[in-house]
Amino acid sequence: MKTLDTYNFSGKKAIVRVDFNVPLNDKFEITDETRIKAVVPTVKKILNDGGSAILMSHLGRPKNGPEEKFSLKHIVKRVSEVLEAEVKFADDCVGEQAKELASSLEAGQVLLLENLRFYKEETKGDEAFAKQLADLGADVYVNDAFGTAHRAHASTAIIAQFFTDKVCGYVMQSELDNANKILNNAERPFTAIMGGAKISDKILIIEKLLDKVDNLIIGGGMTYTFTKAFGGEIGKSLLEADKMELAKELVKKAEEKGVNLILPVDTLCADDFSNDANRQIVERGHIPADWEGLDIGPDTTVKFADVVKNSKTILWNGPMGVFEFPNFAKGTEGIAYAVKEATQGGAFSLIGGGDSASAINNLGFGNDVSYVSTGGGALLEYMEGKTLPGVAALEN
Ligand code: AMP
């Protein structure tokens, strides 16, 4: 796979798949520009070499063609400020106007195309649509959108076949390097912390990790299926009844492989699914009938944190509870502190996208951990051992 540092963009026009899928408020202001900042080094490398860049991205999930609230025009000004370069904008990602703007692009200039997902052909991986993007006149294709690399979309994978020169961007490269470090080179003890809502979403990664880790901490909504499987009372907590056998098997497999699988010992439960619900802490498996577990309890937080602080490698994916409700965020915050402390003590910590990344960033710990992934789903699929179409397309 060609990396940016081995490619000279002088006199070349690059079409770059970026991930500008940023959250906007009702005034169309960007509320988190992490993803824009992330691609700056890639775009600057192209411009500093004496090349020009056509940037393409999706934003949100438009259903049926163009929608004002998903237009990338709202972010042009900020992208220009962050890149410290003029950014032109094409109202349509393909067609005559886009072609003209692309062909008049000079060295050091940037063009941003309108939302790719205004065409349903994008997510369908339509070859003719990918060809239209390729025909905008770029000499080289760069993919720096790790967050969509697990999708075989027109702009993330299919387009690559129309280019001889295909290059992996810096974001994509560091995501792969960090994931590989965890997968192939983890210093021990290696602890994985898995949280979030469901076992079914995490089963493949959990099975894969059982071959790699020393400790597997399980928190979040998925713990109640384990508790119920072993006869505990979980009240109205999240339950995947059809996964109870699987939960038992995972516990058995962990034993066989000598992995320390650690489940909560207590639960913070609520009489309603709301921040203001009445709360009580109960021992694991003792949740009253009309109550539901919404966070790990204080003893669990201490227990999990101790394991984390004694680890040399940490992978964290998924919150320990409904951290969107401040009253049920303490468990997730406690783990975030522990990961930060372990990192300060020399551990390597990788935060796997999505909610655990928001938790770390909201606490202001983004720079206190080793790496915060930009791609939740893509990272999990990569770690499960699946081929990511966006990565494979750069290799051919
Ligand atoms: P995931 O996308 O699978 O990582 O799940 C993240 C979601 O799981 C978050 O929105 C949390 O609110 C939710 N979650 C975590 N713990 C619980 C719980 N005990 N009950 C219900 N939802 C939970």
Side-chain angles (χ1 to χ4, degrees):
M1 192 156 55
K2 273 201 192 80
T3 57
L4 275 188
D5 287 333
T6 61
Y7 196 88
N8 187 345
F9 288 87
S10 175
K12 307 254 184 193
K13 209 167 272 174
I15 188 158
V16 191
R17 178 55 158 101
V18 293
D19 182 358
F20 282 169
N21 183 27
V22 289
L24 299 177
N25 62 19
D26 49 12
K27 290 190 202 121
F28 300 119
E29 291 157 346
I30 303 164
T31 54
D32 179 354
E33 51 190 36
T34 314
R35 287 175 170 160
I36 296 178
K37 289 193 171 137
V39 298
V40 170
T42 293
V43 180
K44 284 209 160 162
K45 151 78 179 158
I46 296 168
L47 305 184
N48 290 343
D49 271 5
S52 56
I54 304 166
L55 307 182
M56 55 178 175
S57 177
H58 73 286
L59 175 67
R61 294 184 172 188
K63 298 229 162 49
N64 258 325
E67 265 180 80
E68 170 76 8
K69 66 174 177 182
F70 296 126
S71 173
L72 282 167
K73 73 179 180 204
H74 303 303
I75 72 163
V76 178
K77 186 162 167 276
R78 192 63 196 133
V79 170
S80 169
E81 287 164 1
V82 174
L83 285 175
E84 297 168 307
E86 189 199 338
V87 176
K88 297 176 190 215
F89 184 67
D91 298 326
D92 190 348
C93 62
V94 290
E96 279 317 306
Q97 189 222 16
K99 242 180 169 167
E100 270 164 37
L101 285 168
S103 74
S104 62
L105 215 54
E106 287 171 17
Q109 293 187 331
V110 179
L111 169 66
L112 174 64
L113 304 178
E114 182 55 290
N115 194 341
L116 293 159
R117 291 198 189 163
F118 284 172
Y119 287 85
K120 59 182 182 323
E121 289 85 349
E122 160 64 0
T123 48
K124 287 195 168 142
D126 184 83
E127 210 174 297
F129 177 68
K131 174 103 176 39
Q132 276 184 285
L133 292 168
D135 284 347
L136 293 175
D139 307 291
V140 44
Y141 168 66
V142 179
N143 192 352
D144 211 18
F146 180 74
T148 47
H150 57 320
R151 309 278 181 225
H153 292 173
S155 68
T156 61
I158 313 302
I159 188 174
Q161 65 189 284
F162 302 111
F163 289 89
T164 315
D165 290 352
K166 317 167 232 222
V167 182
C168 177
Y170 287 133
V171 174
M172 182 82 96
Q173 186 71 54
S174 54
E175 290 279 353
L176 297 173
D177 288 349
N178 281 293
N180 287 336
K181 189 165 172 176
I182 286 263
L183 286 174
N184 308 323
N185 246 335
E187 211 184 316
R188 292 179 174 276
F190 177 4
T191 299
I193 312 155
M194 288 285 128
K198 293 181 179 169
I199 299 187
S200 44
D201 292 341
K202 308 270 162 92
I203 177 65
L204 291 174
I205 182 81
I206 289 178
E207 284 190 328
K208 180 91 184 177
L209 287 171
L210 285 177
D211 287 327
K212 308 242 170 222
V213 300
D214 301 292
N215 305 302
L216 177 61
I217 290 176
I218 297 192
M222 70 172 110
T223 52
Y224 307 109
T225 300
F226 282 88
T227 305
K228 181 89 179 166
F230 289 97
E233 294 299 336
I234 63 163
K236 293 190 305 181
S237 306
L238 270 188
L239 170 69
E240 287 172 277
D242 60 333
K243 296 289 179 292
M244 290 202 295
E245 275 314 302
L246 181 75
K248 282 187 180 166
E249 273 169 38
L250 286 176
V251 171
K252 195 163 154 245
K253 267 192 200 163
E255 266 168 26
E256 284 164 8
K257 290 176 191 279
V259 172
N260 186 19
L261 190 146
I262 313 164
L263 287 160
V265 289
D266 59 352
T267 305
L268 175 63
C269 49
D271 61 354
D272 185 25
F273 188 79
S274 82
N275 185 49
D276 302 323
N278 292 308
R279 282 167 278 161
Q280 63 170 312
I281 295 159
V282 299
E283 260 176 57
R284 174 175 183 218
H286 290 84
I287 301 179
D290 282 337
W291 291 62
E292 58 193 301
L294 295 187
D295 196 7
I296 53 175
D299 290 350
T300 305
T301 309
V302 170
K303 188 175 172 191
F304 285 3
D306 276 348
V307 175
V308 170
K309 283 187 232 165
N310 286 309
S311 304
K312 281 272 167 261
T313 304
I314 301 154
L315 168 68
W316 181 20
N317 182 282
M320 296 292 102
V322 184
F323 79 116
E324 296 91 336
F325 298 155
N327 285 336
F328 299 95
K330 289 212 174 55
T332 303
E333 286 169 10
I335 297 305
Y337 273 105
V339 175
K340 173 185 164 170
E341 270 185 46
T343 314
Q344 283 165 343
F348 175 78
S349 54
L350 172 58
I351 313 302
D355 288 324
S356 12
S358 329
I360 284 280
N361 288 330
N362 292 346
L363 287 167
F365 293 173
N367 293 324
D368 300 316
V369 294
S370 308
Y371 191 71
V372 182
S373 173
T374 58
L379 181 76
L380 285 187
E381 288 200 19
Y382 188 71
M383 291 201 149
E384 284 162 10
K386 289 190 186 141
T387 301
L388 305 186
V391 176
L394 296 174
E395 278 162 352
N396 298 322

